[in-house]
Amino acid sequence: MAPLFVLLGAPGAGKGTQAKRLSGLLGLPHISSGDLFRDKLAAKTELGRAAEGYLARGELVPDDVTIGMVRDRISQPDCVRGGILDGFPRTMAQAAALDVLGKQLGVSVGRVIYIMVREAVLVDRLAGRWICKAGGHLYHGRFNPPKRAGFCDLDGSQLYQREDDKAETVARRIRVYLEQTTPLIEHYRAKGLLVEADGELSIEDLSAGLGTLLSREAIR
Ligand code: AMP
């Protein structure tokens, strides 16, 4: 079965950054539920409108909406060899739905990488985060600054801050994560799929370690 590699971790743990690097390294699509929601929102689709308030408040979008959206994405032909899931599943109901969906599509959860970062570090990281408009490349004012302030190193486009990276919303997103997602860690640990990763390592060291681990399991 083609593997889906799941990245778990609080907002700010580095899931998106690592998912992008692993996607390039393993040649598998990066499937970010947060990016999918933001795309739908920007395109003003019905789903985007239904999700808008939840995103603004830092709350989880209801499971049926989220599961349907991810089902559509994983059913696309580029996912036949698997993919890197970033931000999904976040609840036990989503994990159960993913198992069912995987059976239908011939994919299954391979490894679940839990990226661990202390809460104080998470808040610091999110508050300084900048994203490029054209390609979604990630920067941080202090930890990973662009060469020219306000512009992306890779494509020169302008950088912006996410609405939900503001201080009050950040705190809520971390709390929601801890409440809803922590049971998933135990669930995947019990299944023997969990890998605990040190999210306070440098971006390069962490992705090198994860890349070595996952490339043994990816189907070439
Ligand atoms: P992220 O980019 O992963 O931090 O997600 C941004 C926002 O999208 C979250 O705060 C939620 O409102 C929504 N979201 C993303 N993934 C999920 C999910 N698996 N379940 C429910 N809501 C989600």
Side-chain angles (χ1 to χ4, degrees):
M1 281 242 226
L4 291 171
F5 299 121
V6 174
L7 296 183
L8 286 183
K15 297 189 297 293
T17 301
Q18 293 300 329
K20 283 194 183 72
R21 295 174 79 97
L22 290 171
S23 164
L25 205 74
L26 303 174
L28 293 174
H30 170 204
I31 303 158
S32 155
S33 45
D35 284 351
L36 290 173
F37 279 126
R38 282 183 288 276
D39 289 349
K40 309 272 179 211
L41 211 117
K44 297 191 173 20
T45 65
E46 201 178 314
L47 194 151
R49 270 192 275 268
E52 189 166 13
Y54 297 97
L55 264 79
R57 293 190 297 273
E59 293 168 6
L60 293 187
V61 178
D63 281 333
D64 53 341
V65 177
T66 307
I67 291 165
M69 178 183 72
V70 172
R71 177 185 298 125
D72 286 350
R73 178 64 190 92
I74 299 180
S75 310
Q76 301 297 312
D78 63 329
C79 297
V80 287
R81 286 178 39 265
I84 316 280
L85 282 176
D86 158 16
F88 183 93
R90 259 181 166 86
T91 64
M92 289 298 285
Q94 292 177 13
L98 182 60
D99 285 343
V100 174
L101 178 61
K103 284 200 185 87
Q104 291 162 358
L105 296 172
V107 290
S108 68
V109 174
R111 287 275 170 197
V112 177
I113 313 292
Y114 173 34
I115 305 182
M116 299 185 298
V117 173
R118 284 167 298 163
E119 198 167 330
V121 178
L122 294 172
V123 174
D124 243 24
R125 284 186 181 180
L126 290 172
R129 187 155 83 166
W130 290 86
I131 306 171
C132 104
K133 278 195 176 147
H137 304 114
L138 296 169
Y139 296 90
H140 190 282
R142 261 190 302 146
F143 308 129
N144 180 28
K147 292 197 182 78
R148 182 156 73 108
F151 296 92
C152 179
D153 292 350
L154 300 172
D155 56 35
S157 77
Q158 261 191 336
L159 304 181
Y160 70 97
Q161 284 203 291
R162 258 171 59 171
E163 273 302 307
D164 62 354
D165 280 348
K166 293 191 178 131
E168 327 80 73
T169 318
V170 161
R172 165 143 359 100
R173 284 166 61 211
I174 294 173
R175 203 176 57 237
V176 165
Y177 164 79
L178 291 172
E179 279 167 18
Q180 306 255 22
T181 312
T182 305
L184 284 184
I185 293 162
E186 294 316 319
H187 171 72
Y188 286 121
R189 196 196 307 279
K191 288 183 136 197
L193 296 175
L194 196 79
V195 177
E196 293 185 340
D198 180 356
E200 295 187 32
L201 288 174
S202 74
I203 291 172
E204 293 76 18
D205 286 350
L206 180 55
S207 61
L210 293 178
T212 306
L213 175 80
L214 299 186
S215 57
R216 285 190 226 119
E217 307 193 5
I219 298 172
R220 288 273 150 196

